[in-house]
Amino acid sequence: MDLGGVRAAVGDLLRRHLDPRVREVALLDPDCAHELAERVVSFTLGGKRLRSTLAWWGWLAGGGPSHGPEAHAALSAASALEVLQTFALIHDDVMDSAPIRRGAPSVHAAHGDDHRSRDYRGSSVRYGESMAVLTGDLALAWADDLLHEALDALPGRGEAHRVWREMRTEVMVGQYLDLRSRASAERSVSVALRTDRLKTASYTVERPLHLGAVLAGAPSETVSALRHYGADVGVAFQLRDDLMDLQGDASRTGRPPGEDLRQGTNTMLLAVGVDLAREHGDTAALDLLKRVGTDPVPTTEVECVLDRLGACDLVRRHCRELADRGVDHLAPLDLDPAVRDGLIGFADAAART
């Protein structure tokens, strides 16, 4: 099954799992089905299927068959990652007060618009955020359901449950570190990288590969190599995203540029910039970077300062080094050529800034 085939198959599996869940909600309350449950479905189906594809590659790398009942069950388990992603992004947007996601109003913003258009009582902001929390909670419950149902037919289900449990916890801890760093105006490279590892690399790359591999009963050497690849490439993926937030455009990222700056996120890029400004005795640059997240600071001005200090180049190099190191971890593995090419291509894309 090629990449397009995996994405199409995951979409079909998600439909078959989620549509009955929407009907169950509709029996309880049609409005809830329309406003919450259908939003979970549309949001989930609008994803790029990145995590489920990586889990499928992990399954194949671990020796799982590409066809048959077990392959179908493994792909169903991989599909649960897409619903987990829905939960994570909806809640993340609430915590970030992000108005846009994938070029459209974020879920809490859409619920807030509904509140205003219907002339409801109370705060439209509070209503929108509360409804989005419920929508995300529903997605998390459905992700668990889909995974558990799929695992019944697979030999690696016990280990897979542990991977899933640890992944969910890592996401929460990473989000905690992100929120605390913003509130405390922390500018630390080590904390930024640890947050990237837990909040992004874990459930985006490392754990999907890990999940697929253990489902297939992969040997420990294979699991270890895939996890090391995932940790390195996953962090590179986030560093690339940090650079794109500063330098990208909304048509590619699906959100306005400078969101991390507006939130005062402790990215490696910003933390490196602060360190370099101190080292160079550049008080003007240091003052500007310290104001990020507190005062409105033009994105272009911050970009110029970070470029001048060499922060952007340093993060680009680190991104490339992580991607290359990740690929090196694959060298001992006897992988299907399509899987190896896919993983190498993903690592290259993660470092392409």
Side-chain angles (χ1 to χ4, degrees), residues 245-276:
D245 177 74
L246 185 68
Q247 302 169 332
D249 61 80
S251 64
R252 292 183 61 196
T253 63
R255 62 179 188 173
E259 283 290 292
D260 288 339
L261 298 180
R262 181 175 65 84
Q263 294 293 329
T265 303
N266 177 42
T267 63
M268 179 187 177
L269 180 62
L270 186 56
V272 163
V274 169
D275 287 347
L276 290 172

Side-chain angles (χ1 to χ4, degrees), residues 171-343:
V171 170
M172 306 301 178
V173 174
Q175 187 66 64
Y176 160 80
L177 290 172
D178 186 21
L179 290 172
R180 190 190 65 179
S181 294
R182 292 184 209 169
S184 63
E186 187 169 28
R187 298 292 175 255
S188 164
V189 172
S190 63
V191 173
L193 289 174
R194 184 152 56 95
T195 303
D196 290 346
R197 171 73 189 274
L198 293 171
K199 183 182 175 182
T200 302
S202 169
Y203 96 108
T204 300
V205 188
E206 179 187 356
R207 292 299 193 174
L209 286 166
H210 189 188
L211 180 67
V214 300
L215 286 174
S220 59
E221 296 81 2
T222 299
V223 172
S224 179
L226 291 174
R227 290 194 65 186
H228 280 100
Y229 164 93
D232 286 338
V233 175
V235 173
F237 184 83
Q238 181 57 54
L239 296 181
R240 172 182 178 270
D241 192 60
D242 295 342
L243 287 164
M244 289 183 67
D245 177 74
L246 185 68
Q247 302 169 332
D249 61 80
S251 64
R252 292 183 61 196
T253 63
R255 62 179 188 173
E259 283 290 292
D260 288 339
L261 298 180
R262 181 175 65 84
Q263 294 293 329
T265 303
N266 177 42
T267 63
M268 179 187 177
L269 180 62
L270 186 56
V272 163
V274 169
D275 287 347
L276 290 172
R278 285 198 179 104
E279 289 175 17
H280 298 162
D282 192 331
T283 56
L286 187 59
D287 177 67
L288 176 74
L289 297 178
K290 282 185 173 180
R291 286 163 46 208
V292 168
T294 302
D295 301 326
V297 181
T299 301
T300 52
E301 190 175 346
V302 176
E303 181 183 355
C304 287
V305 167
L306 291 174
D307 259 335
R308 177 169 57 76
L309 290 169
C312 294
D313 284 341
L314 190 152
V315 171
R316 285 192 194 97
R317 287 195 302 272
H318 190 57
C319 193
R320 182 76 261 174
E321 289 165 1
L322 284 170
D324 290 343
R325 190 172 72 189
V327 170
D328 288 343
H329 290 302
L330 302 178
L333 302 184
D334 182 20
L335 296 174
D336 177 279
V339 173
R340 183 178 294 277
D341 289 347
L343 291 172

